[in-house]
Amino acid sequence: DADSLSVIKKVMRSLGAGDLAKVRGRERGPAFFGDQISKIKNGMVSLGELSDRGEFIKSLFEEYEKELEKQNAFDFDDLIQKVVLIFRKHPETLAKYHRRFTHFFVDEYQDVNNMQYEMVRVLATPTGHISVVGDDQQTIYSWRGSNFEIFMNFERDWPNAHVVVLDQNYRSSQN
């Protein structure tokens, strides 16, 4: 996070904003813009949607990406987003992973965000061999972009899946 914020600060200065920039009349700092970049990369909002809030965000995002590339670096969100982009652009690479991995397990499925779901969907679609574990009472990562609708739409998205509801507590001993 510190490295990402450092790059954001550098880009803000290069765009003439200094350490603060106005968005909808409010002064915003690097942490705010880091959150906006993360939302784009995790598929929570599109760059176009954020551009409606000001051209600065679009410019900042584009320059931030250029700076990361120049530094031959990824930020945390790139670890999934860039893989999904590679799979989309290079079907032969995706096919290699389809041959290598045929079964998928996702824990804490209730906390999956849009880009994580896209990676799972792209990888597991050919076989449909996917197992997930989740608890609708324990979603805790909405602040990081988790999309609870993904959890709720599991049966729709994976129609051949067998759902097992564990409605008894096996972790705690009885009174």
Side-chain angles (χ1 to χ4, degrees):
D1 286 346
D3 291 340
S4 294
L5 283 177
S6 176
V7 173
I8 291 169
K9 287 177 186 177
K10 179 180 179 180
V11 171
M12 287 177 70
R13 284 188 219 108
S14 76
L15 293 172
D19 288 336
L20 295 172
K22 278 196 176 189
V23 176
R24 290 189 165 180
R26 292 185 63 189
E27 294 282 328
R28 302 293 190 156
F32 170 82
F33 293 109
D35 289 342
Q36 301 306 302
I37 289 168
S38 184
K39 286 178 180 180
I40 295 167
K41 291 184 177 193
N42 285 305
M44 295 166 59
V45 294
S46 70
L47 185 54
E49 287 175 277
L50 285 180
S51 295
D52 291 344
R53 298 180 196 164
E55 198 59 33
F56 181 77
I57 293 175
K58 182 176 187 232
S59 298
L60 177 77
F61 178 81
E62 291 168 350
E63 292 303 314
Y64 174 77
E65 287 294 285
K66 287 178 189 173
E67 184 62 28
L68 287 180
E69 188 172 343
K70 189 167 101 177
Q71 293 183 21
N72 197 28
F74 275 179
D75 63 19
F76 181 77
D77 297 313
D78 286 334
L79 298 176
I80 293 177
Q81 188 221 23
K82 299 298 189 219
V83 172
V84 170
L85 293 175
I86 288 169
F87 287 160
R88 286 179 183 161
K89 286 183 181 178
H90 303 283
E92 70 283 358
T93 301
L94 177 59
K96 175 183 165 186
Y97 285 90
H98 283 158
R99 287 188 300 275
R100 186 166 182 185
F101 301 106
T102 59
H103 292 73
F104 298 88
F105 177 79
V106 182
D107 194 13
E108 303 295 345
Y109 195 70
Q110 76 277 358
D111 290 324
V112 169
N113 68 35
N114 294 350
M115 195 55 63
Q116 292 166 337
Y117 174 74
E118 182 63 15
M119 187 156 101
V120 169
R121 189 191 63 73
V122 162
L123 286 168
T125 292
T127 63
H129 297 149
I130 181 170
S131 296
V132 305
V133 174
D135 183 343
D136 62 353
Q137 300 298 308
Q138 292 191 22
T139 183
I140 60 172
Y141 286 107
S142 57
W143 61 274
R144 282 246 359 141
S146 71
N147 182 347
F148 193 65
E149 288 181 24
I150 293 169
F151 179 82
M152 297 306 292
N153 292 327
F154 178 78
E155 291 176 88
R156 183 201 70 196
D157 295 345
W158 304 97
N160 295 325
H162 175 74
V163 175
V164 177
V165 177
L166 301 177
D167 54 4
Q168 186 172 355
N169 182 347
Y170 291 99
R171 288 186 181 174
S172 306
S173 58
Q174 299 295 325
N175 289 339

